[in-house]
């Protein structure tokens, strides 16, 4: 089965706290790409990052960082020093070489940053 | 550059009516996807076109749903007859090609309410 799972349905933290959103995927493919998208209250889906299955280097972009670990099939997303504007639903997704290469989404994690 | 353009933004209709959702992908993009988002099921892929040809329509719920892509710059998703359970946000997305490496660019979505 090819699947993406985000076990955390909702997370609520106070501003300036660090928060990690979990993502676990299942596949037998050796070639695949992992993505994170943000859906703010306005509703559109905004691309955040893409990672290929052969590159396990962690990535940092400002307050955002991503930890990709093939050994645990995880691609977790951390926001450091969270801000109210980070409040959104975050989706982890994957495109697998098999399965018509469609983008498979996790269920999403609703993140609320309280002032 | 214009992104993926969807119309209408909101659609309210009565059960039994025909509904047509429209999408203009980003110019030059060869792949087009229709997704449906609901609270219960999250983001589900309905159908995926590559070079105007449907590649995977396994997500289309039933015969009441149909999608066409008559040319590279236009696609429609039609529901006939519509039912209250079709109420959801429908997203169109495009990508430059069908390769697994490519990220998807999403439109703003159409909020459909079937009364």
């Amino acid at each position: 089965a090819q699947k993406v799972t985000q076990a955390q349905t909702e997370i609520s933290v106070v501003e300036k706290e660090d928060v990690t959103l979990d993502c676990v995927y299942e596949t037998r493919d050796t070639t695949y790409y992992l993505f994170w998208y943000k859906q703010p209250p306005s509703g559109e889906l905004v691309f955040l990052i893409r990672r290929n299955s052969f590159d396990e280097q962690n990535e940092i972009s400002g307050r955002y960082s991503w930890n990709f670990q093939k050994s645990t099939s995880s691609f977790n997303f951390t926001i450091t020093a969270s801000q109210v504007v980070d409040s959104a639903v975050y989706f982890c997704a994957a495109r697998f070489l098999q399965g018509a290469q469609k983008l498979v989404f996790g269920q999403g994690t609703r993140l609320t940053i309280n002032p | 550059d214009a992104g993926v353009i969807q119309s209408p933004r909101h659609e309210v209709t009565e059960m039994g009516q025909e509904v047509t959702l429209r999408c203009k992908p980003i110019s030059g993009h060869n792949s087009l996807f229709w997704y449906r988002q609901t609270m219960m099921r999250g983001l589900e892929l309905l159908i995926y076109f590559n070079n105007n040809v449907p590649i995977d329509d396994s997500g289309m719920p039933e015969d009441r749903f149909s999608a066409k892509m008559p040319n590279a710059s236009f696609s429609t998703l039609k529901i006939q007859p519509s039912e209250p359970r079709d109420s959801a946000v429908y997203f169109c997305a495009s990508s430059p090609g069908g390769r697994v490496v490519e990220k998807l660019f999403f439109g703003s979505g159409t909020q459909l309410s079937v009364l």
Side-chain angles (χ1 to χ4, degrees):
Chain A
Q2 296 181 329
K3 189 178 172 182
V4 176
T5 302
Q6 295 177 257
Q8 304 151 308
T9 306
E10 294 190 35
I11 298 175
S12 181
V13 300
V14 176
E15 200 172 17
K16 297 183 184 176
E17 285 186 20
D18 299 347
V19 58
T20 295
L21 310 181
D22 297 334
C23 173
V24 174
Y25 60 93
E26 293 177 34
T27 184
R28 291 183 180 176
D29 287 356
T30 56
T31 300
Y32 51 88
Y33 278 77
L34 302 170
F35 303 79
W36 276 93
Y37 281 82
K38 174 182 180 179
Q39 187 176 39
S42 53
E44 75 274 22
L45 283 153
V46 179
F47 167 80
L48 294 178
I49 189 172
R50 167 183 51 203
R51 212 90 186 110
N52 78 60
S53 52
F54 300 106
D55 183 359
E56 287 192 71
Q57 282 192 0
N58 292 332
E59 183 153 341
I60 298 175
S61 176
R63 296 184 297 105
Y64 294 174
S65 62
W66 291 268
N67 184 333
F68 175 31
Q69 292 194 345
K70 284 180 83 168
S71 61
T72 55
S73 297
S74 65
F75 186 43
N76 297 338
F77 172 31
T78 298
I79 301 175
T80 304
S82 60
Q83 299 176 2
V84 172
V85 292
D86 296 327
S87 297
V89 180
Y90 290 86
F91 291 94
C92 181
R95 283 188 94 171
F96 304 106
L97 199 56
Q98 302 301 321
Q101 302 176 19
K102 57 189 178 186
L103 187 63
V104 177
F105 282 91
Q107 284 296 95
T109 298
R110 180 176 298 278
L111 176 64
T112 302
I113 311 297
N114 299 299
Chain B
D1 288 340
V4 176
I5 299 172
Q6 289 186 247
S7 63
R9 284 300 307 274
H10 302 275
E11 177 80 35
V12 180
T13 190
E14 292 186 346
M15 183 173 65
Q17 296 298 306
E18 177 179 298
V19 174
T20 299
L21 310 182
R22 297 173 176 79
C23 175
K24 177 178 169 55
I26 294 173
S27 177
H29 282 194
N30 295 331
S31 294
L32 184 140
F33 305 76
W34 282 100
Y35 280 86
R36 177 173 68 176
Q37 185 179 26
T38 61
M39 288 293 292
M40 290 297 294
R41 302 173 68 93
L43 277 157
E44 304 173 275
L45 178 67
L46 300 178
I47 188 168
Y48 156 38
F49 292 87
N50 199 35
N51 292 321
N52 311 339
V53 176
I55 302 299
D56 182 356
D57 65 354
S58 59
M60 294 287 263
E62 48 197 273
D63 291 346
R64 297 185 297 107
F65 285 69
S66 63
K68 293 182 180 179
M69 192 163 185
N71 57 62
S73 59
F74 184 65
S75 176
T76 59
L77 178 67
K78 186 177 292 187
I79 308 173
Q80 165 63 13
S82 57
E83 296 182 3
R85 59 190 168 126
D86 302 330
S87 298
V89 180
Y90 291 80
F91 286 100
C92 177
S94 70
S95 71
R99 296 179 304 145
V100 70
V101 63
E102 290 155 0
K103 67 183 183 186
L104 271 60
F105 296 78
F106 283 82
S108 299
T110 294
Q111 173 81 57
L112 174 64
S113 299
V114 184
L115 307 177

